[in-house]
Amino acid sequence: MLEGLIETIDSKKDSNGFIKVTDEPLSGLTATQKVLLNRKGNILFNKGDIEGARRIFITTGYSDGLTRIGDKYLELNKSLQALKMFILAHNTKKSEPLFEKIAGIVSMILKE
């Protein structure tokens, strides 16, 4: 199972050996691989390893996990990072208030 994941990661490397990174989930993961990775992500999140969990949840596209990461970023006053997580999770209920806040700030700046 992990061998398949390693092959998928290897296929993402460019000619210089760098991994091409996107914010889209890997399409080559099986349902079983996603479940196992999401479990590991949840364990990391519960242990306080937010960045480790974030990497896994982005890889799998796990919207609930991405939303929880976004909520954690909000607690840490990292609004832009939170917004990114909410967008990746397709969670408009959480992202729209942040868009409104940003629009309000931009509006204030333009009035000055």
Side-chain angles (χ1 to χ4, degrees):
M1 194 169 339
L2 286 177
E3 289 129 12
L5 182 58
I6 291 169
E7 288 173 15
T8 301
I9 291 171
D10 284 341
S11 72
K12 301 283 183 187
K13 290 182 181 178
D14 66 13
S15 61
N16 295 318
F18 292 105
I19 297 173
K20 300 174 201 168
V21 179
T22 66
D23 290 329
E24 296 294 319
L26 289 177
S27 58
L29 293 176
T30 66
T32 303
Q33 288 172 322
K34 285 183 181 183
V35 167
L36 292 173
L37 285 170
N38 288 337
R39 284 182 187 160
K40 180 173 180 153
N42 284 326
I43 290 168
L44 292 173
F45 182 86
N46 291 333
K47 287 183 176 180
D49 184 357
I50 303 307
E51 294 308 308
R54 180 191 58 82
R55 287 190 300 273
I56 289 174
F57 296 150
I58 287 175
T59 300
T60 63
Y62 181 42
S63 61
D64 183 58
L66 292 167
T67 297
R68 286 186 286 129
I69 298 291
D71 288 338
K72 191 66 171 174
Y73 282 156
L74 281 180
E75 289 176 19
L76 299 171
N77 292 319
K78 296 181 175 183
S79 298
L80 290 177
Q81 291 94 331
L83 178 60
K84 180 178 179 179
M85 294 301 106
F86 297 146
I87 291 169
L88 290 173
H90 305 285
N91 189 331
T92 55
K93 181 180 175 188
K94 298 264 184 165
S95 63
E96 284 180 2
L98 292 174
F99 281 127
E100 290 173 11
K101 182 178 177 182
I102 292 168
I105 292 169
V106 170
S107 179
M108 276 186 357
I109 292 170
L110 291 175
K111 287 180 183 177
E112 291 181 4

